[in-house]
Each structure stands twice: as C-alpha cells, then as structure tokens.
C-alpha cells in the first residue's frame, strides 16, 4: 500500500507509523459500520483512493482491490460524468488547502439505476495545519430529491391550475391560496393569507364556520354551490368541493372552488332563449301559456273573466319581401314596443311566430267589454303609421279572441280556441272575432278517420318503422327509434301527424301504445335470436299513457313476459314531464329500474329547466329537429344548440340531434360535441326487414 502513501509496519518510522495504521484501521471499521445509505472513503491529497466503505463498494459492484490506488475520477462513481469530475477536482483542490466543500452528483448504481448523492469532502489534518488525507462522506438523497421534485411538480400544477384552491386552518382562516384563488377573489396572496373564510363565503357567513368545520369533520367532504365575495365587493357564483385532511396532529380543510359565472350566464341565456323571443324580447308561446294558466287561476278566484287574444299581422310576407328582412324585423320590434306601451303593465304579451302576437286582457266583466278593449288595442297599436327606414308604413292585424271561463278551462284549450277564432277572422272582412261553438264543429272526414282508427289495431294495419341513431365519432348505429305507421287499405300509409293526435284525443293511444311496446320487444328478441347485433329500441310514450295509474305495471307485465333482456328505452316529450313532477319522477324511476333508458324528446320546444332535469332519471336529450334545420341560418339557434349540448354534457347526459339532413349540419353538430344524430342524411325510417338487410351487423355507415 506504500505506493499510495499508506504507512505500513515495515516503514522506518517505527512506532509512530504503527499507531497510524491502527488509527486508520479504526477509521475503516467506523466507515463500514455507517448506515447503508452513507458512503465513506479516504483518499490521498492528490486524489488517489485509499479506502471506500462497504456501502460505497456494494453500490457499484466493486471491491477495494478493484479501485485502491486509482484516481477517484476514474472510479465507477465519477467515471461517467465530466461535470461530476470537474466538481471533484474543485473540491479536492479546496480540501488540499484545508477547506471543506460539498456538492451533489449522480452515478449509475449496480442493478438499481441512477442514484443521487450529497458528497462532503473534508481535509484530515496532521500536525495542526498539514493536510494528510482527504475524507469523503456521501449521503444517498435520491428519495429526498424525488419527493422534492414531486412536491415541486405538485406545487407547479397547483399554482397554474385553473381551479382555485384554498387551504384553511381549523379556525377557518386561509392558510394557503393558489394563483387561481387569488385571481378569482381579487386578492394579492399576502392579503388573502390569514383572512377569515366568513369574509369570503356568503354560505359560511350565514351558518358560521364552526358548523361547516363540524360537518366537514363528520362527513370528510362537502359539495355545494355558493356565492363568494371578491376583494372589490362584487359577488361571484362558485361550486365548492371541501375536503377534510388530517396530517398527524394537524388538521386542515381544502376547498376546491370553481367559478360558475360562465355557466350561470349560459343558463340565463338558455332560459331567455327558451322562454323569450330574441327579436322582440317578448315571452314566447310556452311562457305565454304559463302566464295564461296563472291569470286563469287568479280570475277563477276573483270570479272574473280574461280574454286570450292572438293578433296576426296582415300581409306581413309582402312587407318582408318588399322592405327586406331587416326592415321587416324593425317593424315587428316597433309593433312589440307599442303593445308594451299600451298594455301599461296590466296585460300579458307574447310573440308567437314570425307575424303573430298574443296578449291576455284581464278583469273582464262581459263580452261587450272584451270587444271594446280589443278595438281600443287595435287602434292604439295599429292606428298610426310606423316610421321604418325613413318611410311611413301602415300595418294592420286580424285578431282572434277566446274568453275564460266560457271557452275553456285550461291554457292550451284557450289558445286553440283563440286560433280558431283568428282563422275565422282571416276568412272574413272583420278585424276580429270572438270564439263561438260553431267555429269548432268537427268535419265529417274527421269522424270517418276516427272510426277507421278504431278498427285498425284489430285488423293489423299498424306497423313499426325504425330510424337509426348514429354515433357521430365512430359512425356505428347505437340505437333505433320505433315510429308508428298506419297502412290504411284505402289511402295507403297515413301521415303520423294526421292520426296520432286523434289517437290521443280518443284514448286509443293506450291500446296502440301497448301494441307498439310489444312489437318493439318482439323485433328486438327476433334480431337477437338470429345472432344480429341488435341495437336498443326507443319507443315514444304519449301524455295519455304516462298519466294512467297503471302505466308502470303495464310496462312491467310486458317486459316480464320476455325472459331475455328487453333492450327497450322510452322517449318522452319535454312538455309531458312538466305536470306532476313528483309523480313523473317516481314513475320514470320505476321504469328505469326495469332496465329501460329514459330520453327527453323534442328538447328545447318546451320550457323545462336544467335544475328540473337533474331530478329526473334521464340519460338522453334529443334536440328538436326545428333547431337543427334552422341553426345554420339563425345564429341564435346555433348558439342555443351549442349551449344545450354543453350543458347536457355537464349533467352527464347523452345528446341526440334529430332531423339531420345535410353533411354541413352533421359537421356542425360534430364540432359542438353532439353524441348521436338521427335523420335522412343517414336513413329515413324503414321497416324492420329493411333495417336488418341494410344495417344490422354491417360496418359503420358514417365516418
């Protein structure tokens, strides 16, 4: 060992050298008994290895004989990194001058890969000021650096996350807030730190932090919507997910806070589009019906009458063609404004369509007063010309009137009677007409149609056609809708809109609806028995069916008559669901428990709210074809379609678009993230045999 400056018993130095050898042996023993994660070694002042402990040697699969006398730079710990060797040379020079130093390096451990070490290089002095050896100790800090890196990454992600995070101490004060929280609340980080949550949350302010903290400890987490106060005093709607955390003796509450401002704005926008006319700002037909019902109830209690009035602008198509759409729209806005002005807050208004307005006149005593007030309204609104684009335009209207309680006991009936009166006025020279029974006589051909329908079921004249519902992303058929058809021996296939309303009016829809359900079950099981990839079948349910007390039991009986899975879903129009909410929830929940999916058909044409949807066990919304057909031409409709899809997805609902007829419509819906489409672009409704031959078991039909 003399070649590296290690004294041996044969040296001429005698007893002093022997003592040094004994001292080094003691050092070696101490080094070998250190923690396995600590490397220790001894080197000459010119950087030659004298000794390395067992932990250091085992880490690189070496023995002391392999490295003794080598330059430390050439050992397995440093041979593969020039940067490490450079740091070693600087540390060696410093130690040779009596100055300790420290640096980190990474080496390739045998069998475990890269390890990071914290190396300290110290001089071993002799005679007080002469450096005799270089002592090295290295601590394995790989796990510490990994944890630090993970914490750094976590902190980086938290600080750059879009969702706000508040960490609260048990006394309800902010212990930590990320960048998003500071931005949401308008505080600098140091101003937010230590702030009581009651200063921020209206919810906590109202019930007290101790109550919130106790609930959080009991339940581990809380989820709710709330209102937070910003630093400037403004309020912001938020969604809060609060989590309780205990770390040793320390307890904290973590609040993940999402800004709901955009969603609330979108909901208000949806509500406006669903309840009001965009052009005039007046309520639409559905809102008008709601208002009519309320006013009828008030009138019933007060024992007075109300009049439902529908006004149709005469020659509006000619005005539109002559002046252009922009000027025609301006005329409609002016007409709406005059209705508002002369209503004086007592009458209820609506725009029903392109050229139709409606209003409710309250506190009527008799028919003569109705006529007087209608004539006065006509004069006030249409008596003077409208100034449109610098030109005076005279407009006129035909009016139909129905009187409650004389002409009906519900809003829909009153509305229909007013429409009948309007149609009668349009065929006459009179400006307005009040409804009378003679206007509502049933034509002879309607009676004949009703009689034929009563025999159609027993004679097997009804049949089902199926229209595919196609996944927009994959192009696969994911379901079909069963559509009722009537094959009249004399007239052939009769238009559904001609006979289905009559089935509902006469109550025949109950028997026919049961047949539809049975036939759909039969077709589904037939496809399965033939080894086909049978899609689920959606069956439409009418208001007459769902309101029957035995609706659920009848469906259960039909389903239980088939042993195999049934594959049937139900589609119910939006307006059907707006009756008895609790009863509908109970019935549909029972149907859902039988394995039937629930879809809301013609969504957007009614007036259901998003909050209402969360109460129903539905899985699917079907956007009405009227929106799909006009969305490319009407920006407001396009916006409404996009918002409906986004909000449905937020509620974890699938979205199907009806009436898709062009590739451009399909591309737009795909861009909006719509899940499925249904329409003539893919297939018209076809008989079951044609569906099997054309699609079932085939490749995707759209890409």
């Amino acid at each position: 060992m003399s070649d590296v400056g290690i004294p041996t018993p044969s040296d001429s130095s005698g007893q002093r050298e022997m003592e040094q050898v004994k001292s080094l042996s003691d050092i070696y023993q101490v080094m070998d008994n250190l923690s396995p994660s600590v490397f220790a070694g001894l080197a000459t002042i010119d950087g030659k290895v004298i000794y390395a402990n067992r932990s250091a040697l085992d880490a690189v699969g070496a023995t002391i004989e392999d490295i003794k006398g080598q330059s430390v730079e050439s050992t397995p710990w440093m041979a593969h990194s020039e940067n490490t060797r450079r740091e070693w040379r600087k540390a060696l020079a410093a130690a040779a001058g009596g100055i300790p130093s420290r640096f980190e390096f990474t080496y390739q451990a045998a069998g475990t890969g890269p390890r990071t070490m914290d190396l300290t290089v110290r001089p071993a002095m002799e005679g007080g000021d002469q450096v005799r050896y270089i002592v090295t100790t290295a601590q394995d800090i790989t796990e510490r650096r990994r944890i630090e890196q993970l914490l750094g990454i976590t902190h980086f992600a938290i600080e750059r996350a879009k969702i706000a995070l508040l960490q609260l101490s048990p006394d309800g004060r902010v212990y930590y807030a990320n960048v998003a929280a500071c931005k949401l609340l308008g505080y600098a980080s140091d101003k937010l730190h230590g702030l009581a949550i009651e200063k921020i949350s209206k919810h906590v302010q109202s019930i007290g932090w101790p109550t919130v903290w106790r609930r959080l400890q009991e339940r581990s987490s809380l989820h709710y919507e709330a209102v937070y106060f910003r630093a400037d005093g403004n309020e912001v709607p938020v969604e809060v997910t609060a989590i309780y955390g205990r770390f040793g003796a320390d307890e904290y509450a973590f609040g993940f806070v999402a800004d709901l401002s955009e969603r609330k704005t979108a909901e208000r926008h949806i509500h406006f589009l669903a309840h009001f006319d965009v052009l005039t700002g007046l309520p639409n037909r559905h809102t008008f019906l709601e208002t009519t019902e309320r006013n009828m109830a008030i009138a019933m209690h007060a024992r007075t009458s109300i009049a439902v009035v529908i006004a149709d602008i005469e020659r509006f198509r000619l005005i539109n063609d002559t002046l252009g759409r922009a000027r025609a729209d301006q005329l409609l806005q002016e007409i709406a404004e005059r209705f508002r002005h002369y209503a004086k807050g007592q009458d209820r208004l609506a725009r029903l369509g392109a050229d139709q307005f409606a209003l409710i006149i309250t506190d009527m005593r008799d028919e003569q007063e109705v006529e007087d007030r209608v004539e006065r309204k006509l004069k006030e609104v249409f008596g003077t010309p409208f100034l449109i684009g610098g030109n005076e335009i005279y407009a006129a209207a035909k009016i139909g009137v129905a009187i409650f309680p004389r002409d009906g006991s519900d809003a829909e009936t009153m509305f229909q009677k007013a429409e009948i009166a309007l149609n009668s006025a349009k065929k006459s020279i009179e400006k307005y007409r009040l409804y009378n029974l003679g206007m509502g006589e049933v034509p002879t051909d309607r009676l004949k149609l009703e009689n034929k329908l009563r025999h159609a079921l027993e004679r097997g004249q009804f049949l089902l056609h199926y229209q595919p519902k196609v996944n927009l992303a994959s192009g696969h058929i994911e379901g079909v809708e069963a559509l009722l058809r009537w094959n009249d021996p004399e007239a052939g296939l009769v238009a559904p809109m001609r006979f289905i309303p009559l089935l509902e009016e006469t109550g025949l829809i109950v028997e026919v609806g049961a047949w539809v359900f049975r036939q759909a079950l039969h077709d589904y099981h037939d496809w399965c028995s033939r080894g086909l990839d049978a899609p689920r079948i959606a069956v439409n349910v009418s208001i007459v069916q769902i309101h029957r007390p035995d609706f659920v039991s009848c469906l259960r009986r039909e389903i239980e008559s088939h042993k195999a899975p049934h594959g049937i879903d139900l589609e119910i129009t939006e307006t059907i669901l707006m009756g008895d909410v609790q009863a509908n929830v109970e019935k549909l929940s029972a149907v859902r428990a039988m394995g039937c999916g629930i879809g809301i058909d013609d969504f957007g044409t009614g007036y259901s709210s998003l909050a209402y949807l969360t109460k129903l066990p539905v899985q699917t919304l079907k956007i009405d074809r009227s929106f799909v057909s006009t969305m490319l031409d009407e920006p407001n409709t396009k916006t409404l379609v996009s918002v409906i899809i986004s909000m449905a997805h937020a509620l974890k609902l699938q979205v199907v678009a009806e009436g898709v007829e062009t590739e451009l419509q399909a591309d737009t819906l795909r861009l909006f993230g719509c899940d499925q489409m249904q329409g003539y672009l893919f297939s018209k409704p076809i008989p079951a045999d044609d569906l099997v031959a054309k699609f079932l078991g085939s490749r995707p039909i759209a890409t």
Side-chain angles (χ1 to χ4, degrees), residues 175 304 346 369 431 465 516 523 578 654 697:
Y175 183 81
T304 60
Q346 296 181 5
E369 184 180 358
K431 287 293 183 182
H465 282 190
V516 169
D523 288 345
M578 299 307 295
Q654 291 279 302

Side-chain angles (χ1 to χ4, degrees), residues 199-407:
K199 301 289 186 181
I200 300 171
S201 171
K202 181 182 285 189
H203 171 71
V204 177
Q205 193 178 83
S206 64
I207 65 175
W209 168 249
T211 300
V212 176
W213 179 246
R214 186 177 64 255
R215 290 177 182 173
L216 195 56
Q217 288 177 310
E218 292 170 352
R219 304 177 191 177
S220 297
S221 65
L222 299 171
H223 185 83
Y224 55 91
E225 290 188 9
V227 173
Y228 274 14
F229 300 109
R230 288 176 49 83
D232 57 12
N234 290 323
E235 296 182 353
V236 56
V238 295
E239 183 178 47
V240 180
T241 299
I243 300 173
Y244 171 78
R246 187 181 185 94
F247 307 92
D250 297 325
E251 296 176 285
Y252 295 101
F254 297 89
F256 297 89
V257 185
D259 187 350
L260 296 184
S261 299
E262 291 186 4
R263 194 179 94 181
K264 294 298 183 181
T265 300
E267 287 179 345
R268 288 192 294 270
H269 187 52
I270 287 178
H271 181 272
F272 178 82
L273 293 175
H275 291 78
F276 295 87
D277 170 58
V278 175
L279 179 65
T280 64
L282 292 177
N284 61 15
R285 181 182 187 275
H286 300 290
T287 306
F288 181 74
L289 289 175
E290 283 185 305
T291 304
T292 303
E293 288 284 3
R294 288 196 298 270
N295 280 272
M296 288 168 62
I298 294 170
M300 178 69 73
H301 181 74
R303 298 182 181 277
T304 60
S305 297
I306 66 170
V308 175
V309 180
I310 300 178
D312 187 284
I313 310 304
E314 294 188 271
R315 305 184 309 280
F316 184 74
R317 183 180 294 276
L318 176 63
I319 295 173
N320 192 72
D321 293 342
T322 304
L323 301 180
R325 182 172 179 176
R327 297 289 172 82
D329 285 350
Q330 186 181 349
L331 174 62
L332 291 172
Q333 290 171 332
E334 292 291 337
I335 292 173
E337 192 56 39
R338 286 193 186 181
F339 270 120
R340 282 195 190 94
H341 177 72
Y342 292 114
K344 297 178 182 178
Q346 296 181 5
D347 304 333
R348 305 296 182 262
L349 305 172
R351 184 189 177 203
L352 305 179
D355 56 357
Q356 283 192 350
F357 293 84
L359 66 149
I360 302 167
I361 303 177
T362 60
D363 300 323
M364 299 284 93
R365 292 187 301 272
D366 53 39
E367 188 171 306
Q368 184 59 52
E369 184 180 358
V370 173
E371 293 186 2
D372 291 343
R373 290 177 66 172
V374 168
E375 288 181 356
R376 187 162 65 248
K377 283 287 182 288
L378 277 171
K379 184 177 181 180
E380 289 170 345
V381 176
F382 300 103
T384 56
F386 297 88
L387 188 62
I388 306 296
N391 299 313
E392 289 188 345
I393 304 296
Y394 284 88
K398 291 282 190 175
I399 287 179
V401 183
I403 302 173
F404 171 83
R406 186 192 71 180
D407 297 329

